[in-house]
Amino acid sequence: MSYTMIAEELVGSLGGKENIVSVAHCATRLRVMVADEEKIDKKRIEDTEKVKGAFFNSGQYQIIFGTGTVNRVFEAFENLDLSMSSKAEMKEVSAKQGTALQRAIRTFSDVFVPLIPALVATGLFMGLRGLVTRPEVLALFGLTPESISPNFILYTQILTDTAFIFLPAMVAWSASRVFGGTPLIGLVLGLMLVSPALPNAWAVGFGDAQPLLFFGFIPVVGYQGSVIPAFIAGFLSAKLERRIRAFMPEAFDLVMTPFLTLLVMSAVSLLAVGPLFHVVEVAMVDATKYLLDLPFGLSGLVIGFVWDLIVITGVHHVFNLLEIQLLANEGSNVFNALITGAISAQGAACLAVGMKTNSKKLKALCFPSTVSAFLGIIEPAIFGVNLRYYRPFVFALVGGALGGFTAQILGLAASGMAVTVIPGTLLYLDGQLMSYFLVHAVSCSVAFALTYTMGFSDKMLEEK
């Protein structure tokens, strides 16, 4: 079946063109917003070729294809020239679908997911810098840390620090875009929060600079690495811009709307939003650190066990905020280390099913899903295989828990975010690689052994 035929089949299964409000995609899933969920033929969709699972979440019907395949299916959808609803109609439908919590999660995802590629690249740069500046690596080329050119060190700092220095600008840009404002106005507002004219936040934190005091009691600093103040500023900026534009005469709109928006929001952001929500942000980070630092490996045990359950709900993108904060404030990301074993465990359990079954169709599903999981994308393994037979999924949770436990006991922490398992090795090149391999050896061996011995048999196929 061609990708065009798959797309046409899905259109019919989704209730026809008139029921499809919008179609988008992420790394593994086709995300379809529909007008009426009752019109969806869910069984027909799951039986469609190349579909590895489907579920309704956060107001979207999400169809899992896996990496690469989802891009081709989405292109086929675009070529069908569906008459999508207008942007205003899409927002109206989106606002009505899902609970308040689901809508909030979807909004957070819309803001933070577009930032991930830049932050992933920065994390990989951090890993590579840690590798090339290690004395034993330099010794291979007859060099020492003292012999490295200062200009080269400066260049590596540009690669690794820029995204986090200007993180508020990226967040404010994305928030303004999502909430209906002009993204460029949000970007400028975010840049104001990290203006060189303000005392650097990290310098203030280390005691090398003092905050500015407005009205004698409001401390004002730069907000390098901050997320929540920039998010709130972007949100308020978009709302204010739309209010101003509603009454502004068209002849003055181009000049006066951005002028008034930035004038008001720069003062509000620096004097109210920044100081207030920076305190909230610090409290959240401190609470998170407390949970991540629970003794005896308890944090890793719990987080490693529940992570795959969180992935099922689709709310795992919210944790991008946590990873960003850890990297911006601590310079490392222990959360990535605690969940990476949970991801490889799902791949190992899926591999065990593929090796044990005699079904050619199931084998053809298991092995690509295993590869995808070891590349950090676990939805095909979870929804396509493990969750369908229940026990492989549960045994993968056990493997993930022990992997997280091992990671915490070893003190493992990533230099970046958002990539795990094989691609994630680049985040642990600063002397932690053997510990990283050990974590995956534990999680994978436990999940594979339990699934192969007790988690699956072909009798389950007959029951299905």
Side-chain angles (χ1 to χ4, degrees), residues 171-193:
V171 173
W173 163 82
S174 190
S176 180
R177 173 186 59 85
V178 168
F179 291 109
T182 301
L184 190 59
I185 292 178
L187 177 65
V188 173
L189 179 62
L191 289 171
M192 289 179 176
L193 294 176

Side-chain angles (χ1 to χ4, degrees), residues 167-238:
L167 184 59
M170 297 163 59
V171 173
W173 163 82
S174 190
S176 180
R177 173 186 59 85
V178 168
F179 291 109
T182 301
L184 190 59
I185 292 178
L187 177 65
V188 173
L189 179 62
L191 289 171
M192 289 179 176
L193 294 176
V194 292
S195 169
L198 297 173
N200 184 282
W202 292 318
V204 172
F206 285 114
D208 298 329
Q210 295 296 320
L212 302 176
L213 285 180
F214 278 69
F215 308 111
F217 70 96
I218 301 177
V220 174
V221 299
Y223 291 95
Q224 289 83 2
S226 290
V227 174
I228 296 179
F231 178 87
I232 300 298
F235 167 75
L236 294 177
S237 172

Side-chain angles (χ1 to χ4, degrees), residues 59-210:
Q60 295 174 327
Y61 196 70
Q62 303 185 17
I63 307 170
I64 302 165
F65 286 98
T67 53
T69 303
V70 70
N71 300 77
R72 293 181 173 87
V73 174
F74 179 74
E75 289 173 2
F77 257 90
E78 288 187 312
N79 293 334
L80 292 180
D81 193 25
L82 300 174
S83 55
M84 300 295 184
S85 301
S86 68
K87 192 172 182 180
E89 291 171 332
M90 288 167 55
K91 285 188 175 182
E92 184 178 347
V93 172
S94 176
K96 294 177 181 177
Q97 292 186 333
T99 65
L101 177 61
Q102 288 174 329
R103 293 195 297 270
I105 289 168
R106 190 164 63 231
T107 299
F108 268 99
S109 296
D110 290 342
V111 171
F112 289 105
V113 167
L115 309 182
I116 290 177
L119 297 174
V120 167
T122 297
L124 298 182
F125 288 141
M126 288 178 175
L128 288 173
R129 182 177 69 174
L131 175 66
V132 300
T133 56
R134 288 185 63 79
E136 53 266 36
V137 174
L138 292 173
L140 297 175
F141 302 94
L143 300 173
T144 65
E146 292 75 21
S147 64
I148 301 178
S149 166
N151 290 337
F152 176 75
I153 296 297
L154 177 62
Y155 173 65
T156 63
Q157 289 175 338
I158 292 172
L159 288 176
T160 59
D161 296 354
T162 301
F164 291 104
I165 290 173
F166 294 101
L167 184 59
M170 297 163 59
V171 173
W173 163 82
S174 190
S176 180
R177 173 186 59 85
V178 168
F179 291 109
T182 301
L184 190 59
I185 292 178
L187 177 65
V188 173
L189 179 62
L191 289 171
M192 289 179 176
L193 294 176
V194 292
S195 169
L198 297 173
N200 184 282
W202 292 318
V204 172
F206 285 114
D208 298 329
Q210 295 296 320

Side-chain angles (χ1 to χ4, degrees), residues 155-324:
Y155 173 65
T156 63
Q157 289 175 338
I158 292 172
L159 288 176
T160 59
D161 296 354
T162 301
F164 291 104
I165 290 173
F166 294 101
L167 184 59
M170 297 163 59
V171 173
W173 163 82
S174 190
S176 180
R177 173 186 59 85
V178 168
F179 291 109
T182 301
L184 190 59
I185 292 178
L187 177 65
V188 173
L189 179 62
L191 289 171
M192 289 179 176
L193 294 176
V194 292
S195 169
L198 297 173
N200 184 282
W202 292 318
V204 172
F206 285 114
D208 298 329
Q210 295 296 320
L212 302 176
L213 285 180
F214 278 69
F215 308 111
F217 70 96
I218 301 177
V220 174
V221 299
Y223 291 95
Q224 289 83 2
S226 290
V227 174
I228 296 179
F231 178 87
I232 300 298
F235 167 75
L236 294 177
S237 172
K239 297 300 181 183
L240 177 62
E241 180 190 350
R242 295 177 66 180
R243 287 289 183 90
I244 294 173
R245 182 160 282 126
F247 66 79
M248 182 66 62
E250 291 185 4
F252 300 102
D253 180 65
L254 180 63
V255 175
M256 295 305 298
T257 298
F259 170 75
L260 292 175
T261 301
L262 287 173
L263 177 64
V264 173
M265 284 309 305
S266 60
V268 170
S269 299
L270 290 173
L271 301 179
V273 171
L276 176 61
F277 285 95
H278 181 64
V279 173
V280 174
E281 190 171 64
V282 170
M284 290 177 59
V285 172
D286 289 343
T288 301
K289 285 177 59 182
Y290 173 79
L291 293 175
L292 292 176
D293 291 338
L294 289 175
F296 313 118
L298 289 176
S299 298
L301 200 66
V302 173
I303 293 173
F305 183 83
V306 303
W307 180 246
D308 296 329
L309 296 170
I310 293 171
V311 171
I312 291 176
T313 68
V315 306
H316 53 295
H317 292 302
V318 174
F319 289 86
N320 295 329
L321 174 61
L322 167 61
E323 294 190 86
I324 291 169

Side-chain angles (χ1 to χ4, degrees), residues 274-422:
L276 176 61
F277 285 95
H278 181 64
V279 173
V280 174
E281 190 171 64
V282 170
M284 290 177 59
V285 172
D286 289 343
T288 301
K289 285 177 59 182
Y290 173 79
L291 293 175
L292 292 176
D293 291 338
L294 289 175
F296 313 118
L298 289 176
S299 298
L301 200 66
V302 173
I303 293 173
F305 183 83
V306 303
W307 180 246
D308 296 329
L309 296 170
I310 293 171
V311 171
I312 291 176
T313 68
V315 306
H316 53 295
H317 292 302
V318 174
F319 289 86
N320 295 329
L321 174 61
L322 167 61
E323 294 190 86
I324 291 169
Q325 290 289 49
L326 288 173
L327 286 168
N329 289 277
E330 306 299 321
S332 62
N333 178 8
V334 66
F335 187 77
N336 180 279
L338 300 186
I339 67 170
T340 189
I343 293 170
S344 63
Q346 291 292 340
C350 184
L351 178 63
V353 173
M355 293 184 66
K356 194 169 184 182
T357 185
N358 292 316
S359 167
K360 292 183 179 179
K361 183 177 180 180
L362 184 55
K363 284 180 181 290
L365 178 61
C366 286
F367 294 136
S369 297
T370 299
V371 173
S372 177
F374 288 150
L375 293 175
I377 307 296
I378 56 173
E379 285 91 343
I382 289 179
F383 293 102
V385 181
N386 296 347
L387 203 56
R388 286 186 175 184
Y389 303 106
Y390 182 66
R391 287 184 183 179
F393 178 74
V394 173
F395 289 145
L397 296 183
V398 176
L402 293 177
F405 172 83
T406 306
Q408 187 179 5
I409 292 298
L410 295 174
L412 203 61
S415 61
M417 61 173 285
V419 289
T420 54
V421 199
I422 294 175

